[in-house]
């Protein structure tokens, strides 16, 4: 589905956010930091054809709307961090935070673009919504001297309604919030421009938002080479390695 020249889009984004944070120190070795972020986001997409046609009376015809959609969300996003310090140069951190992922213009605009790698086309979807992400992480840090750190940590994320590319035909993919609840295990919201199979017509009513998972471990090192000798402290090493596994329904 390719739209001819003359089609255009208007895309508006309005957002507001506020944050409240507090810190509690019950002992010399433990700090608790918590807060909540309130955020509202409103996006509006209007796809239309530009007025290029003229009627018999010589008047330019009005623009023809081909696709539009609005998106509004208000979210309370809490966060909590516990920092335990068993010694002067060691920290153990445990944290939780809720975040959201907002669809980009390309993911909601109803236009089709060619992917030269893979020989298929991709379309946006004006019904794509934000994903909600719950994050948990645990990290151990050791700082043998100022400016040096060695750490190992693990993380776990649950993503409600992940935005993914789904094949709607052999040559066409579309951005959707993954859903479950049908025999096929996946249902996509209905795009008003691109036709879907008959069984997907009641996706909004039958399907529940799917949950994707991402988890793994991470290693980080920051140090200098001052242990070799005088002047070697000017040479520094920074490194990070992460092993990540994802699961998408």
């Amino acid at each position: 589905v390719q739209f001819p020249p003359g089609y255009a889009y208007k895309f508006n984004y309005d957002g507001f956010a506020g944050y409240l944070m507090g810190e509690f120190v019950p002992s010399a070795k433990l700090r608790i930091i918590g807060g909540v972020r309130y955020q509202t986001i409103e996006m509006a997409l209007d796809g239309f054809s530009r007025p290029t046609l003229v009627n018999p009376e010589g008047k330019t015809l009005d623009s023809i709307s081909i696709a539009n959609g609005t998106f509004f969300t208000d979210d309370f996003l809490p966060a909590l961090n516990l920092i335990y310090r068993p010694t002067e140069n060691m920290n153990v951190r445990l944290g939780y935070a809720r975040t959201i992922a907002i669809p980009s213009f390309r993911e909601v605009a109803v236009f089709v673009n060619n992917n030269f790698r893979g020989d298929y086309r991709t379309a946006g979807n004006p019904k794509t919504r934000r994903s909600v992400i719950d994050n948990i992480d645990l990290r151990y840090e050791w700082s043998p001297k100022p400016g040096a750190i060695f750490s190992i940590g693990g993380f776990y994320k649950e993503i409600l309604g992940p935005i993914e590319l789904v094949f709607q035909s052999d040559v066409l993919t579309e951005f959707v919030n993954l859903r479950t609840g049908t025999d096929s295990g996946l249902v996509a919201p209905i795009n008003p421009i691109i036709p879907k199979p008959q069984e997907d017509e009641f996706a909004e009513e039958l399907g529940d938002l799917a949950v994707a998972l991402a988890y793994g471990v991470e290693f980080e090192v920051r140090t200098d080479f001052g242990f070799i000798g005088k002047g070697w402290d000017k040479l520094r090493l920074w490194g990070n390695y992460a092993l990540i596994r994802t699961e998408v329904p």
Side-chain angles (χ1 to χ4, degrees):
V1 181
Q2 292 278 12
F3 295 116
Y7 285 92
Y9 294 90
K10 287 183 178 179
F11 185 77
N12 295 321
Y13 178 101
D14 293 308
F16 167 81
Y19 189 81
L20 179 65
M21 185 181 74
E23 180 176 352
F24 175 57
V25 184
S27 70
K29 293 186 176 183
L30 180 64
R31 294 169 58 203
I32 302 174
I33 304 173
V36 62
R37 174 186 175 92
Y38 175 70
Q39 178 172 297
T40 65
I41 294 176
E42 182 175 9
M43 298 191 300
L45 169 71
D46 183 19
F48 58 93
S49 62
R50 293 172 179 170
T52 57
L53 302 178
V54 178
N55 65 13
E57 298 177 356
K59 295 183 179 179
T60 301
L61 297 178
D62 292 335
S63 299
I64 302 173
S65 179
I66 60 170
N68 58 72
T70 59
F71 166 81
F72 176 82
T73 180
D74 57 338
D75 294 284
F76 285 94
L77 307 173
L80 181 65
N81 288 277
L82 281 70
I83 305 171
Y84 177 67
R85 193 176 188 181
T87 67
E88 287 296 322
N89 60 356
M90 292 183 184
N91 284 324
V92 178
R93 301 176 183 267
L94 176 64
Y96 164 80
R98 170 167 287 186
T99 58
I100 58 176
I102 303 298
S104 65
F105 171 77
R106 179 170 178 263
E107 293 168 338
V108 298
V110 186
F111 72 91
V112 179
N113 60 87
N114 292 315
N115 290 280
F116 297 101
R117 296 179 59 187
D119 194 26
Y120 60 88
R121 296 175 297 168
T122 298
N125 185 342
K127 290 193 175 183
T128 302
R129 296 297 183 256
R130 59 98 167 86
S131 303
V132 179
I133 308 169
D134 286 316
N135 309 268
I136 299 175
D137 62 89
L138 176 65
R139 175 182 291 264
Y140 168 77
E141 300 172 339
W142 174 50
S143 179
K145 63 178 182 178
I149 188 170
F150 298 89
S151 71
I152 179 173
F155 59 88
Y156 175 85
K157 300 175 183 288
E158 286 190 355
I159 307 169
L160 178 65
I163 302 171
E164 294 284 349
L165 278 174
V166 173
F167 274 95
Q168 304 295 353
S169 69
D170 291 340
V171 295
L172 180 65
T173 61
E174 181 185 16
F175 291 102
V176 300
N177 295 100
L178 294 189
R179 291 176 176 269
T180 59
T182 66
D183 293 337
S184 64
L186 180 107
V187 179
I190 303 305
N191 186 313
I193 301 300
I194 302 171
K196 300 291 191 304
Q198 184 72 23
E199 60 268 24
D200 283 352
E201 287 189 358
F202 301 100
E204 293 288 345
E205 292 78 13
L206 298 180
D208 295 321
L209 287 175
V211 176
L213 303 179
Y215 51 90
V217 293
E218 182 180 20
F219 305 90
E220 183 180 1
V221 57
R222 284 180 286 170
T223 187
D224 59 45
F225 290 85
F227 59 89
I228 296 179
K230 186 177 180 180
W232 282 90
D233 57 341
K234 299 183 183 299
L235 180 63
R236 300 188 60 82
L237 172 67
W238 289 43
N240 180 281
Y241 177 78
L243 182 63
I244 304 172
R245 180 179 175 86
T246 58
E247 297 180 12
V248 180

